[in-house]
Amino acid sequence: MTTAKDIMHPGARWIPAHETLDRAAQMMRDLKVGALPIADENERLCGIITDRDIVIGCVAMGHDPARVTCGEMAKGTPRWVEAGADVGAVLEEMQSHQIRRLPVIEGKRLVGMISEADLAQHLSDEQIKAFCTSVYAAS
């Protein structure tokens, strides 16, 4: 059985909820990623910030990314998957919530992220087609 841990990109990093969006953008640049999980003071997942969130939700709205925190941008219930979850559970979580990146948690700690690129490398053509159809159909 292929698990989330098998297909994830290891080494994901949190950004604390109190950090500003300009710092998040710098971290994304340095890590060469487009999203960061947001952690509260107890290192618990409280959201995800994406490069698009920063541009659309902050800069395009006339706000200063040096004055808006990641925690202020976190919306909704954070989605994640256990490291031992099978690929079907990963796809279900991503498809049912129409998300393109999914944190992987093991022992209450962030161990990786699953992105569309990770799925493309590990899934069959039929699984990728089903994923794209469900995630992008209503986008």
Side-chain angles (χ1 to χ4, degrees), residues 52-120:
R52 188 172 197 279
D53 294 333
I54 295 168
V55 171
I56 303 298
C58 180
V59 176
M61 299 299 287
H63 302 295
D64 181 355
R67 295 182 183 268
V68 179
T69 68
C70 293
E72 291 172 319
M73 291 294 290
K75 298 179 191 116
T77 303
R79 309 310 309 178
W80 53 273
V81 67
E82 285 283 344
D86 69 30
V87 172
V90 170
L91 288 172
E92 172 62 26
E93 188 69 19
M94 294 176 83
Q95 290 171 324
S96 65
H97 298 284
Q98 294 187 310
I99 54 177
R100 296 173 179 96
R101 298 170 181 103
L102 188 64
V104 179
I105 306 294
E106 184 174 55
K108 298 185 180 182
R109 296 283 181 212
L110 177 70
V111 294
M113 289 279 282
I114 296 174
S115 69
E116 295 164 306
D118 298 315
L119 295 178

